[in-house]
Amino acid sequence: MKILLTGANGFIARNLRFFLQESGFADVICFGREHDDAYLEQALAEADFIFHLAGVNRPKDVAEFAEGNLGLTEKILAGLQALKRAVPVVFSSSIQADRDNPYGASKSAAEQRLFDYSRNSGASVAVFRLPNVFGKWSRPFYNSAVATFCHQISRGEAVTVHDPAAPLQLVYIDDVCKKLVSLLTATSGFASGYHEVAPVYETTVGQLAAQIQAFADSRQSLVSERVGTGLVRALYATYVSFLPCESFAYGVPAYGDQRGVFVEMLKTPDAGQFSFFTAHPGVTRGGHYHHTKTEKFLVIRGEARFGFRHIVTDEFFELVTSGAEPKVVETIPGWSHDITNIGQDEMIVMLWANEIFDRQQPDTIAHKV
């Protein structure tokens, strides 16, 4: 199957090309502003499916709305008609299409031309009235406020928010691309009409700016935002995609003494923190117990002996682990514990604690094992 992709150098199309390739659709004809009418005519003669993603949304002259949105659509449909071809078309419109402005009017008119083509030719037409789309490779000061804020904040620049309460509807680029590809893979084709991308995220301009700023601030506090699901997950992926190369890495504090070093890597709001420490040969760390706090230790390099003593019964237990055979060792509330480097080289140990260390209430009481 040959797929024609208009607006091939745009934000959505650049992402979609990879989703198509990953789904087995490698034969893609790319049409951009650098191509002429002859190239488009040849592409229309070969295409079995069209993703019409080209459009104009921030022109210097409002007349470009009609030319770029309606004019190109009419040119594509006239070409198909001249070739007597009925090819399915997926069109990226906008939620502005029902609003009284030049951009919305041009999108609405293009939609109607496409639906007329569908009725006359029998070809399926899917129209997506998209809200603000965000994600990697979007253009700041052009595609969305998300792109602009990510660009500015990732470079330490101040953002301007005129109306923090202004509502925003957002869809993530991955969700858009997956939905578009699904129309290709549907065994029974797709029905003509309006289609939707889900989920649509609801937020405000002020909340958006604050969330993106929190991503930047987390490098200093080491406390991660909840980036595993939903809007925050998608925004975080977008934010880091805007980082300049010199900001791909950042330093974290290291606390060293005669025993070795201790480094905190990452803290979470409600799932503890991650760190690592080293110990020189013969060095023992720990020698305390917790009432509630629990930890998981993983020896990455070296050989360790863990000692445990029940603070009530005085029962003693020990075990040996090494980096050669990864094993997680858990600390148990009410048991004092320590770890000793019994190898010949420096020992490196990963550590997870179920809560962020609180110096005011450390829940760490010295007790010899």
Side-chain angles (χ1 to χ4, degrees):
M1 175 185 287
K2 284 193 175 183
I3 298 168
L4 171 59
L5 185 61
T6 73
N9 297 316
F11 163 45
I12 297 178
R14 290 175 70 189
N15 281 271
L16 180 60
R17 287 166 65 180
F18 285 92
F19 278 81
L20 289 170
Q21 178 181 313
E22 293 156 13
S23 299
F25 299 99
D27 200 350
V28 177
I29 306 168
C30 294
F31 177 79
R33 294 180 181 178
E34 68 275 19
H35 296 119
D36 58 18
D37 290 351
Y39 181 93
L40 178 61
E41 183 178 351
Q42 182 61 38
L44 293 172
E46 298 177 11
D48 304 302
F49 197 101
I50 300 173
F51 285 110
H52 182 22
L53 308 181
V56 174
N57 62 354
R58 293 182 187 272
K60 294 180 180 179
D61 184 342
V62 293
E64 295 178 43
F65 283 131
E67 179 183 349
N69 296 327
L70 176 58
L72 179 57
T73 301
E74 291 180 328
K75 188 177 294 184
I76 290 170
L77 298 181
L80 290 173
Q81 183 178 18
L83 293 164
K84 296 181 171 55
R85 302 198 69 214
V87 180
V89 180
V90 176
F91 178 58
S92 60
S93 187
S94 166
I95 56 174
Q96 303 248 358
D98 62 357
R99 300 176 189 175
D100 185 19
N101 59 58
Y103 173 63
S106 66
K107 284 291 190 181
S108 178
E111 292 175 2
Q112 296 312 308
R113 299 293 194 281
L114 284 162
F115 288 138
D116 290 343
Y117 158 76
S118 177
R119 284 189 292 271
N120 294 331
S121 69
S124 295
V125 166
V127 171
F128 287 84
R129 284 188 169 181
L130 297 171
N132 290 279
V133 185
F134 70 99
K136 66 183 184 299
W137 307 334
S138 49
R139 288 172 55 187
F141 311 103
Y142 186 83
N143 285 128
S144 71
V146 177
T148 302
F149 291 165
C150 286
H151 173 84
Q152 293 178 307
I153 292 173
S154 66
R155 286 155 177 76
E157 301 173 4
V159 301
T160 301
V161 177
H162 297 291
D163 181 6
L168 271 180
Q169 286 188 323
L170 303 170
V171 289
Y172 185 44
I173 187 62
D174 286 16
D175 296 321
V176 173
C177 290
K178 289 174 184 176
K179 180 63 177 182
L180 296 183
V181 172
S182 75
L183 299 182
L184 276 171
T185 58
T187 54
S188 58
F190 61 89
S192 289
Y194 291 104
H195 291 244
E196 296 181 348
V197 175
V200 176
Y201 298 109
E202 306 276 352
T203 187
T204 67
V205 175
Q207 290 170 343
L208 175 67
Q211 180 60 82
I212 295 172
Q213 184 61 56
F215 296 148
D217 295 344
S218 69
R219 285 191 166 191
Q220 295 298 318
S221 69
L222 302 185
V223 180
S224 172
E225 295 294 292
R226 294 178 174 86
V227 296
T229 59
L231 176 59
V232 180
R233 170 182 176 269
L235 284 175
Y236 185 65
T238 305
Y239 169 73
V240 296
S241 76
F242 276 86
L243 289 172
C245 293
E246 59 271 21
S247 297
F248 281 8
Y250 61 99
V252 293
Y255 307 96
D257 56 26
Q258 70 278 8
R259 300 171 299 171
V261 297
F262 176 78
V263 179
E264 293 178 311
M265 174 188 171
L266 178 70
K267 303 177 183 181
T268 70
D270 49 18
Q273 68 177 60
F274 297 85
S275 48
F276 79 88
F277 63 84
T278 67
H280 301 304
V283 165
T284 297
R285 283 182 172 272
H288 54 244
Y289 66 86
H290 313 295
H291 287 294
T292 302
K293 182 189 297 184
T294 62
E295 300 158 316
K296 295 179 186 287
F297 292 85
L298 177 63
V299 176
I300 302 298
R301 186 177 73 185
E303 190 173 10
R305 181 180 66 235
F306 288 85
F308 295 87
R309 188 174 298 277
H310 197 288
I311 64 174
V312 175
T313 66
D314 206 38
E315 179 183 353
F316 177 77
F317 174 73
E318 70 175 13
L319 59 87
V320 173
T321 68
S322 73
E325 186 178 353
K327 181 182 294 185
V328 171
V329 178
E330 295 207 67
T331 63
I332 313 300
W335 289 72
S336 62
H337 50 270
D338 61 21
I339 177 173
T340 302
N341 182 355
I342 59 174
Q344 300 301 310
D345 301 311
E346 181 182 57
M347 179 176 68
I348 302 175
V349 182
M350 274 189 65
L351 168 63
W352 169 82
N354 71 316
E355 59 189 46
I356 295 176
F357 182 71
D358 183 349
R359 295 186 182 278
Q360 301 303 314
Q361 302 181 65
D363 190 15
T364 302
I365 301 94
H367 190 282
K368 187 175 181 180
V369 176

